[in-house]
Amino acid sequence: MYSIDVILRDTPLPISVQRKEKIDAESLYQAIKDALDSNRRELLELTCEKEDDKKIAILTERIVAVSLSKKSGGSVRTPGFFALNKETDE
């Protein structure tokens, strides 16, 4: 099972969907990455192969990052990346 995690602006937790096959996971990862790169405002609907009823629609302009990882069975998943903003007084 492969997990695709999407970080949205002003949202503390990632949105995750799963794919059973590596090629499907890489295809979805690339589609999200392309949407992130396009700078167009579009609605992107994601579905999950692990939970058939799981669906989410997000605006592509809100995407900050996307991650693809292989999910090992039985372990607790933690996001593979995080964002840190450092404010400085200048």
Side-chain angles (χ1 to χ4, degrees), residues 1 4 11-12 26 42 48 50 66-68 72 76 83:
M1 189 67 65
I4 299 94
T11 304
E26 289 177 348
E42 296 180 44
C48 184
K50 184 177 178 184
V66 60
S67 172
L68 169 63
S72 58
V76 176

Side-chain angles (χ1 to χ4, degrees), residues 1 8 13 19 21 23 25 31 33 37 40 44 47 56-57 66 77 80-84 88-89:
M1 189 67 65
L8 300 177
L13 298 175
R19 292 291 181 267
E21 301 296 326
I23 194 160
K33 200 171 101 174
D37 192 40
R40 290 189 315 231
L44 181 65
T47 59
I56 185 157
V66 60
R77 183 191 60 82
F81 56 92
F82 69 96
L84 178 64
T88 59
D89 296 325

Side-chain angles (χ1 to χ4, degrees), residues 5-7 9-10 13 15 17-18 34 37-38 41 43 45-47 50-51 60 62 64 68 73 75-77 87:
D5 299 321
V6 180
I7 295 289
R9 185 176 298 121
D10 301 324
L13 298 175
I15 294 170
V17 294
Q18 286 76 35
D34 290 346
D37 192 40
S38 74
R41 183 181 181 168
L43 189 62
E45 183 176 35
L46 304 177
T47 59
K50 184 177 178 184
E51 299 175 42
T60 56
R62 304 292 296 170
V64 176
L68 169 63
S75 67
V76 176
R77 183 191 60 82
E87 294 183 26

